[in-house]
Amino acid sequence: MQVDEKLDCKGLSCPMPIIKLSKTIKKMKSGEVLEMQGTDPGSKTDVPAWCNKTGNEFLEQKEADGAFIFYIKKG
Amino acid sequence: MFKKGVLKELFDSLFSKTWPMWVGGILLAILSTLLFVIKYPWGASGGYVNIGQNLFQSLGITNLGTGTPINMHTVALLNIFIIIGALISALFSREFGIRVAPAGELVKGLVGGALMGIGATVGIGCTTGGFFSGVAALSGGALFLSLGFLIGTILALRYLLWEMEALPNISMGKSCTILSGNKPKTGWQRWLGWILIAVVLYIVNSYTSKGGSTMKVLGWHILIALILGIILQRSRYCIVRAFREPFMTGEATAPVAIIISVLVALMGFTVIKYFGVGNAGEISVRAIELKSVYANFWLRALIGGIIFGIGMTLAGG
């Protein structure tokens, strides 16, 4: 998968990951893919819900080395 | 006989997926009602006042008032065992991990926590006792406290957005995660969870097996706290989120969940008060209730609410 932008939210807790995600997506172009990393277990439900609400596409989710990795395509 | 593996399957499904927040909300409301039957509705900040008093007392500072010992204080015990219950639930779900935020975030947590302490003291109550139980008990102060939370949340969110533009370094930097449950080989987490359950049950038994209703009431509080902690962890029931969500994502999942649970608690509390069940029948308790309706009504509740609201959003979690 081609990743256009990366966002590191490791160690951050609610609400910072979503605030940062929202800001990063805003400056991206439609169709670009964001890779977001985080450690907050709440993100597992928050990020897909946020994508759904804001019209962005939630591509996939991985777990590696104690962190969650999300791929989001800007809608 | 059971089909082999049925219990394990049930356990796995309870502790692998997050429960809907409204389900958690209804369960919490029922337990808060049960606490009201036994003693008082669910609260939290009073317990921290008690823990603080004991801490200062042990440091030789006594002019802040002397508190009941922590192991004899219902709300302090609730707070401690809710945290242990949530820990057990995180271990069962293999979600336990120690995640250390960047330094700037830790400072924000400290400042936010201090603001929450000040706000809860000024406004007489926090999101649990002042809002969740307060609204369900139809306290007028709770309405102004809620308004304060709303104003505080908006102010703090505006600050966070400004901070990200002006001082982006605060939320960046070195963070670390240890013992995380997302790694393979996390079978030990469940075993540790079961050991902790056994320890908590042993403590409950040591309270309830002693004579006297006070000890039995304390024992029940520990047991209920354990269940509250598990429900809170599984459903990620978060009142802060309900105040924050409409301004952040425009979602209404958390606000709806909180409204449902407050309504359930409202029905439970009303029945208890109408029939004068347990403590609610005593004149002294009715007097406390009147006090919580009028004493902090309305300026203290509003100011305390705003301070607490800023603190809770800043601290995050």
Side-chain angles (χ1 to χ4, degrees):
Chain A
M1 190 184 321
Q2 198 214 322
V3 174
D4 302 287
E5 191 85 38
K6 281 190 178 182
L7 175 64
D8 181 8
C9 290
K10 285 201 287 262
L12 298 182
S13 57
C14 227
M16 290 310 281
I18 294 291
I19 292 186
K20 286 201 160 190
L21 171 62
S22 152
K23 186 197 162 197
T24 313
I25 287 276
K26 226 173 247 173
K27 39 173 216 204
M28 286 168 58
K29 288 192 210 80
S30 180
E32 286 186 326
V33 174
L34 170 74
E35 181 192 287
M36 176 186 178
Q37 291 203 23
T39 50
D40 179 16
S43 301
K44 277 195 287 185
T45 44
D46 284 0
V47 173
W50 180 87
C51 291
N52 205 9
K53 188 76 198 173
T54 50
N56 295 295
E57 196 185 337
F58 184 77
L59 298 175
E60 79 170 292
Q61 172 185 328
K62 283 197 295 202
E63 289 188 22
D65 218 16
F68 307 106
I69 307 166
F70 306 102
Y71 294 95
I72 300 139
K73 190 175 180 182
K74 176 159 180 168
Chain B
M1 274 303 285
F2 288 119
K3 206 178 101 207
K4 201 168 173 268
V6 163
L7 283 178
K8 191 182 179 303
E9 223 168 85
L10 179 69
F11 186 85
D12 279 341
S13 65
L14 275 178
F15 288 101
S16 65
K17 276 193 215 114
T18 309
W19 305 354
M21 204 195 265
W22 62 270
V23 172
I26 290 175
L27 295 173
L28 293 171
I30 293 169
L31 286 170
S32 183
T33 309
L34 187 61
L35 283 173
F36 195 2
V37 173
I38 301 173
K39 203 166 168 76
Y40 301 123
W42 184 19
S45 55
Y48 289 114
V49 171
N50 175 264
I51 294 172
Q53 276 176 338
N54 277 286
L55 186 74
F56 285 123
Q57 229 168 294
S58 68
L59 295 171
I61 304 164
T62 48
N63 56 355
L64 291 165
T66 46
T68 324
I70 292 173
N71 63 352
M72 294 297 285
H73 194 276
T74 48
V75 190
L77 284 176
L78 274 182
N79 292 349
I80 292 168
F81 284 91
I82 282 173
I83 295 172
I84 295 176
L87 166 67
I88 292 171
S89 179
L91 288 168
F92 278 166
S93 324
R94 298 196 181 108
E95 280 177 357
F96 177 75
I98 299 171
R99 302 172 181 91
V100 184
E105 288 294 303
L106 294 179
V107 173
K108 268 157 70 186
L110 198 68
V111 173
L115 288 174
M116 285 163 83
I118 297 169
T121 311
V122 173
I124 317 180
C126 55
T127 38
T128 312
F131 170 76
F132 184 55
S133 295
V135 173
L138 295 176
S139 152
L143 296 180
F144 285 97
L145 200 66
S146 318
L147 187 64
F149 288 166
L150 209 60
I151 298 169
T153 305
I154 297 172
L155 291 175
L157 275 179
R158 282 186 166 262
Y159 163 78
L160 289 177
L161 288 171
W162 172 83
E163 180 207 277
M164 232 175 28
E165 295 295 334
L167 309 158
N169 288 331
I170 288 188
S171 54
M172 279 191 237
K174 223 175 118 46
S175 66
C176 68
T177 306
I178 30 181
L179 287 175
S180 167
N182 314 324
K183 287 179 181 162
K185 287 201 177 177
T186 46
W188 62 273
Q189 294 215 356
R190 288 205 167 159
W191 287 108
L192 186 59
W194 284 113
I195 293 169
L196 283 174
I197 287 256
V199 171
V200 173
L201 290 180
Y202 175 78
I203 296 171
V204 171
N205 182 57
S206 71
Y207 272 91
T208 51
S209 59
K210 284 178 194 155
S213 58
T214 316
M215 296 306 275
K216 289 193 167 59
V217 165
L218 290 168
W220 272 103
H221 273 78
I222 296 174
L223 195 61
I224 292 172
L226 176 73
I227 304 169
L228 286 171
I230 293 174
I231 299 167
L232 283 168
Q233 200 274 342
R234 286 290 67 213
S235 65
R236 306 194 78 85
Y237 183 87
C238 177
I239 293 171
V240 183
R241 198 175 150 168
F243 279 96
R244 191 176 60 205
E245 212 168 54
F247 306 105
M248 274 184 60
T249 58
E251 270 184 294
T253 336
V256 167
I258 268 89
I259 289 167
I260 291 172
S261 66
V262 167
L263 283 177
V264 173
L266 175 72
M267 287 190 277
F269 286 16
T270 306
V271 169
I272 292 171
K273 288 199 281 188
Y274 185 80
F275 292 103
V277 179
N279 263 357
E282 287 173 25
I283 301 291
S284 62
V285 176
R286 303 301 283 188
I288 291 171
E289 195 179 287
L290 281 175
K291 204 173 136 201
S292 68
V293 174
Y294 295 108
N296 58 349
F297 190 82
W298 51 279
L299 198 59
R300 273 189 74 170
L302 186 66
I303 295 170
I306 294 174
I307 299 172
F308 193 96
I310 294 173
M312 70 187 191
T313 307
L314 203 59

